Amino acid sequence: MWEEQIPLSKEPIDSRAFRDALGGFPTGVCLITMRQPDGKCEGLTVSSFNSVSLAPPLVLWSLTRDSPSADAFLNSKFFAINLLAADQQEVSNHFARRAVDKFAAFQGAFDAGLGGAPVLRDAVAVFECRNAFQTYGGDHIVFLAAVERFKANLARAPLVFARGRYAGVSNLHT
């Protein structure tokens, strides 16, 4: 595990100030989705997503260890990473909350992807992934995903998050 290989700092770090500093880096907003073997769908909003490799196509994202969905994602064979568009703040906010059935409010907005993972139709891009590897990194689980297929609609502006709120991006239209 990474934690065992990384020496701990002897200087205390103010976790709120650290979080605020990290928030100065704008990120895209994603909806990660999967279907459990019993048919129940899981979904959550994350901003911890990035590319790893083009050949083979690999991406990663992370999830807090204490998330109610952590076990479902750890045990999933496939999941979808849906990059949200600027006009999908409602979707982002909805899936960021805890709810019994988050998908009920968005009936008809998803198609079934690999392993039945819900794929958001109007996303900027969707990466359908095989759950390749996970490890613990502090208070998070880091997922390394092998991209099996993807689609993109780059005419849509992405949803961006920075400094604790959504941010606009004016010059990213194709």
Side-chain angles (χ1 to χ4, degrees):
M1 294 290 171
W2 291 345
E3 297 153 335
E4 297 163 1
Q5 299 170 8
I6 301 171
L8 297 175
S9 170
K10 294 179 181 167
E11 297 293 320
I13 292 183
D14 179 324
S15 60
R16 180 74 242 180
F18 181 60
R19 183 177 180 160
D20 290 345
L22 291 171
F25 181 71
T27 64
V29 182
C30 302
L31 172 61
I32 314 291
T33 58
M34 59 83 65
R35 183 177 303 274
Q36 296 186 56
D38 67 3
K40 182 179 186 261
C41 292
E42 295 284 341
L44 46 89
T45 302
V46 304
S47 59
S48 59
F49 165 79
N50 65 279
S51 62
V52 174
S53 170
L54 295 176
L58 300 171
V59 295
L60 69 76
W61 65 283
S62 64
L63 173 63
T64 110
R65 284 188 187 195
D66 64 359
S67 168
S69 301
D71 285 340
F73 281 99
L74 279 167
N75 295 310
S76 67
K77 185 173 180 182
F78 296 101
F79 48 77
I81 301 171
N82 304 270
L83 277 58
L84 297 180
D87 62 357
Q88 294 176 317
Q89 289 182 23
E90 181 183 359
V91 174
S92 174
N93 290 336
H94 180 78
F95 280 88
R97 294 186 205 105
R98 294 182 183 202
V100 176
D101 182 2
K102 295 180 183 182
F103 292 88
F106 291 94
Q107 295 270 336
F110 294 90
D111 293 319
L114 291 175
V119 171
L120 186 62
R121 282 194 198 113
D122 292 336
V124 170
V126 175
F127 301 95
E128 295 180 67
C129 302
R130 184 174 30 85
N131 195 352
F133 178 76
Q134 313 97 23
T135 192
Y136 293 112
D139 58 2
H140 277 64
I141 305 162
V142 179
F143 292 84
L144 181 67
V147 178
E148 299 288 333
R149 62 186 184 199
F150 74 96
K151 64 181 180 179
N153 181 358
L154 300 179
R156 294 183 52 90
L159 183 58
V160 176
F161 194 78
R163 296 183 180 163
R165 62 184 173 272
Y166 296 110
V169 179
S170 61
N171 62 348
L172 287 182
H173 294 286
T174 57

